[in-house]
């Protein structure tokens, strides 16, 4: 949708109030009901519906009455809200021509009061050319529901954060000025995209600079993932500036090596075709060890070490997990001694568990030994020597056995009496049970069953 800033001049405070009300309602509504917009805007004289009609005429809102009467913001209305906020902050005062179009954004020129020209990038996710955002980008993370305006806002916030951090660490990136909603304002690079450059005075130097940027990013823990001739700016002095950062990931991402190799391959292929540069491929020795690499050889992902910093941790780049953060903090604090003590503690726990296991077996052996003692006592009772000696323990044991036998006999008699009582009650229940008529007895009226019953009654009377 074309950005016509002239309409912005004629919008009143009530118009922006209603636009803001629709934006607030879209936090939990795909289509915001008209009544809800009226309650949120709460205009003094109740002119919400008139304002909605005016905004709909300028295509700042979209009307949908399929399920209920409601409205939603369009990208043009979202643009006006972001531009109005930037103007109120004093970031810029004028919007100029469009200088770039991408699959995810549009870029315009803006100017300050002193005449300084800057670039304004408006993210527009959800275009027909690039709708696989949920699978190609990690803006959603753990969220399940989304809309394109919200995704564009997340992409703008991520790009602004990356641009700020890379600028602080000395990378050649544009100067990030401000960010609001899906709009990012940055300094304007006086140069050209590398894809438009047909000739360079020192292509080898530019090539080495670009490859060095990829390696340096990896040393800081980041991979660009879209490092090609379209996202590299070069000026008349052949100074390189990189742009477009929302898709950057951490080196701990599961596909980090693939992204790193793809960025390297894009640069090698472009310079080989455009500037006829030849590159020596890496050759392996017989033993499997690599031969000394030439300056033009390709850098490998496995040979890069993160020694310059942890930007992926600071910016929470995708692929950097909580476990990685804990490991880095432990490494920085130098808790190697604590690991040893933890191992000793675990070994001590294992030993105590083994001791407890042995004691458990010992407890199980004790009753077996007591049983053996009882058997020995029984043998002593039956032996003639036990009768001659007349030990009091043996006499006590014999008395206990007699008591047990008497108790068993009493239990047997009790069980017999209970069984008799049970049989008597069952027989009484059978005698007192009445015959219950079936549910289908009404069907037997006048049939064979009724005749048979009459004959039986006559026979009983005879």
């Amino acid at each position: 949708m074309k950005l016509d800033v002239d309409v912005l001049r004629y919008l009143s405070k009530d118009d922006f109030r209603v636009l803001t009300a629709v934006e607030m309602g879209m936090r939990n509504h795909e289509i915001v009901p008209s009544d809800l917009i009226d309650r949120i805007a709460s205009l003094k004289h109740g002119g919400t519906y008139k304002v909605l009609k005016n905004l709909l005429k300028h295509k700042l809102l979209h009307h949908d009455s399929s399920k209920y009467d409601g409205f939603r913001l369009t990208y043009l209305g979202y643009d006006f809200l972001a531009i109005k906020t930037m103007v109120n902050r004093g970031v810029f005062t004028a919007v100029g021509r469009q200088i770039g179009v991408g699959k995810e954004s549009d870029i315009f020129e803006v100017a300050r009061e002193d005449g300084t020209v800057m670039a304004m990038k408006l993210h527009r996710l959800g275009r027909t050319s690039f709708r696989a955002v949920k699978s190609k980008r990690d803006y959603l993370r753990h969220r399940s529901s989304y809309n394109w305006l919200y995704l564009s806002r997340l992409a703008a916030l991520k790009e602004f954060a990356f641009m700020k951090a890379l600028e602080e660490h000395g990378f050649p990136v544009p100067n990030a000025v401000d960010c609001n909603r899906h709009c990012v304002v940055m300094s304007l690079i006086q140069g050209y995209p590398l894809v438009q450059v047909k000739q360079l005075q020192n292509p080898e130097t530019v090539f080495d600079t670009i490859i060095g940027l990829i390696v340096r990013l990896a040393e800081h823990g980041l991979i660009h993932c879209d490092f090609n001739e379209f996202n590299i700016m070069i000026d008349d002095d052949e100074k390189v500036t990189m742009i477009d950062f929302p898709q950057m990931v951490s080196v701990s991402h599961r596909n980090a090596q693939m992204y790193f190799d793809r960025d390297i391959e894009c640069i090698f292929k472009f310079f080989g075709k455009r500037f006829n540069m030849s590159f020596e491929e890496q050759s392996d020795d017989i033993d499997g060890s690599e031969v000394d690499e030439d300056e033009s050889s390709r850098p490998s992902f496995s040979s890069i070490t993160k020694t310059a910093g942890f930007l992926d941790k600071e910016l929470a780049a995708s692929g950097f997990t909580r476990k990685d953060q804990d490991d880095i903090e432990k490494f920085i604090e130098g808790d190697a001694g604590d690991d040893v003590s933890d191992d000793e503690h675990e070994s001590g726990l294992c030993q105590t568990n083994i001791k407890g296991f042995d004691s458990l077996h010992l407890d199980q052996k004790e009753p077996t030994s007591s049983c053996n003692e009882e058997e020995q006592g029984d043998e002593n009772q039956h032996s003639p020597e036990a009768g001659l000696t007349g030990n009091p323990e043996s006499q006590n044991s014999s008395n206990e056995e007699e008591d047990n036998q008497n108790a068993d006999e009493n239990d047997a008699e009790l069980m017999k009496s209970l069984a008799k009582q049970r049989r008597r009650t069952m027989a009484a229940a059978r005698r007192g049970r009445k015959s219950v008529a079936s549910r289908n007895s009404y069907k037997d009226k006048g049939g064979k069953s009724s005749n048979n019953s009459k004959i039986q009654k006559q026979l009983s009377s005879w």
Side-chain angles (χ1 to χ4, degrees), residues 24-93:
M24 293 174 65
M26 288 184 68
R27 292 180 180 178
N28 49 12
H29 289 81
E30 185 177 358
I31 303 296
V32 187
S34 303
D35 298 338
L36 181 60
I37 298 173
D38 188 19
R39 288 198 301 269
I40 296 175
S42 62
L43 297 181
K44 292 183 179 179
H45 303 290
T48 304
Y49 294 97
K50 181 179 180 181
V51 173
L52 286 172
K53 185 178 179 181
N54 184 36
L55 296 175
L56 190 62
K57 181 181 70 174
H58 294 297
K59 298 182 180 180
L60 304 181
L61 294 177
H62 174 75
H63 179 250
D64 190 350
S65 59
S66 58
K67 296 182 179 179
Y68 53 86
D69 187 56
F71 296 85
R72 65 171 176 85
L73 272 176
T74 62
Y75 264 117
L76 187 59
Y78 209 47
D79 294 343
F80 279 15
L81 285 173
I83 292 173
K84 180 67 174 178
T85 304
M86 291 291 187
V87 172
N88 292 338
R89 291 179 183 176
V91 179
F92 56 81
T93 57

Side-chain angles (χ1 to χ4, degrees), residues 296-315:
S296 60
S297 62
R298 304 191 180 201
S300 61
F301 181 76
S302 58
S303 63
I304 295 174
T305 56
K306 288 173 58 176
T307 57
F310 302 104
L311 278 178
D312 51 355
K313 175 185 174 182
E314 296 176 7
L315 297 169

Side-chain angles (χ1 to χ4, degrees), residues 437-445:
S438 64
R439 295 179 180 178
N440 298 327
S441 59
Y442 66 92
K443 295 181 180 179
D444 296 334
K445 293 181 180 180

Side-chain angles (χ1 to χ4, degrees), residues 62-332:
H62 174 75
H63 179 250
D64 190 350
S65 59
S66 58
K67 296 182 179 179
Y68 53 86
D69 187 56
F71 296 85
R72 65 171 176 85
L73 272 176
T74 62
Y75 264 117
L76 187 59
Y78 209 47
D79 294 343
F80 279 15
L81 285 173
I83 292 173
K84 180 67 174 178
T85 304
M86 291 291 187
V87 172
N88 292 338
R89 291 179 183 176
V91 179
F92 56 81
T93 57
V95 179
R97 62 188 180 93
Q98 185 174 358
I99 59 177
V101 180
K103 65 180 185 297
E104 301 180 52
S105 61
D106 292 338
I107 303 173
F108 297 86
E109 285 184 345
V110 293
R112 294 179 181 266
E113 289 183 351
D114 56 359
T116 304
V117 180
M118 298 180 297
M120 177 182 67
K121 184 175 183 178
L122 299 173
H123 289 260
R124 300 192 187 281
L125 298 181
R127 286 176 168 171
T128 308
S129 59
F130 189 66
R131 283 186 173 268
V133 178
K134 192 173 182 180
S135 59
K136 301 292 185 184
R137 301 285 187 265
D138 67 332
Y139 304 143
L140 286 177
R141 295 187 180 272
H142 59 276
R143 306 175 185 91
S144 58
S145 60
Y146 65 95
N147 57 32
W148 295 117
L149 297 181
Y150 181 65
L151 284 179
S152 299
R153 175 177 171 272
L154 292 180
L157 289 174
K158 187 174 182 181
E159 181 169 24
F160 183 76
F162 275 109
M163 209 181 306
K164 274 285 188 183
L166 293 175
E167 182 185 3
E168 292 175 357
H169 286 77
F171 283 89
V173 296
N175 179 25
V177 179
D178 201 354
C179 176
N180 181 261
R181 293 180 176 87
H182 68 311
C183 173
V184 180
V185 180
M186 66 192 80
S187 61
L188 183 64
I189 303 299
Q190 300 297 330
Y192 315 95
L194 187 60
V195 68
Q196 298 179 3
V197 178
K198 303 297 183 183
Q199 187 177 0
L200 289 173
Q201 296 179 358
N202 300 309
E204 293 83 3
T205 305
V206 176
F207 173 79
D208 293 338
T209 303
I210 294 173
I211 296 296
L213 284 175
I214 299 176
V215 174
R216 189 178 164 199
L217 278 173
E219 290 175 351
H220 282 76
L222 295 174
I223 298 175
H224 192 279
C225 298
D226 197 14
F227 207 83
N228 50 40
E229 61 272 17
F230 297 95
N231 293 327
I232 298 173
M233 304 289 293
I234 188 167
D235 59 5
D236 296 333
D237 298 331
E238 297 186 352
K239 181 181 177 182
V240 176
T241 305
M242 56 182 180
I243 58 174
D244 195 13
F245 311 104
Q247 69 284 336
M248 296 183 81
V249 299
S250 169
V251 291
S252 59
H253 193 275
R254 59 181 179 179
N255 297 326
Q257 184 173 359
M258 184 269 290
Y259 290 137
F260 180 84
D261 295 338
R262 188 178 68 180
D263 289 348
I264 295 292
E265 179 64 25
C266 287
I267 301 303
F268 270 78
K269 183 184 289 187
F270 175 76
F271 275 85
K273 288 184 177 180
R274 180 65 58 89
F275 304 107
N276 297 324
M277 293 180 63
S278 60
F279 307 102
E280 297 180 0
E281 297 293 336
Q282 295 181 1
S283 60
D284 296 341
D285 200 357
I286 298 175
D287 298 334
S289 60
E290 295 182 355
V291 182
D292 294 337
E293 297 180 356
D294 197 11
E295 291 183 357
S296 60
S297 62
R298 304 191 180 201
S300 61
F301 181 76
S302 58
S303 63
I304 295 174
T305 56
K306 288 173 58 176
T307 57
F310 302 104
L311 278 178
D312 51 355
K313 175 185 174 182
E314 296 176 7
L315 297 169
S318 62
F320 192 81
T321 60
R322 178 72 180 177
K323 183 178 181 298
D324 297 333
Q325 182 177 355
D326 296 338
D327 292 341
I328 284 178
E329 290 176 355
K330 181 184 286 188
F331 177 75
I332 292 175

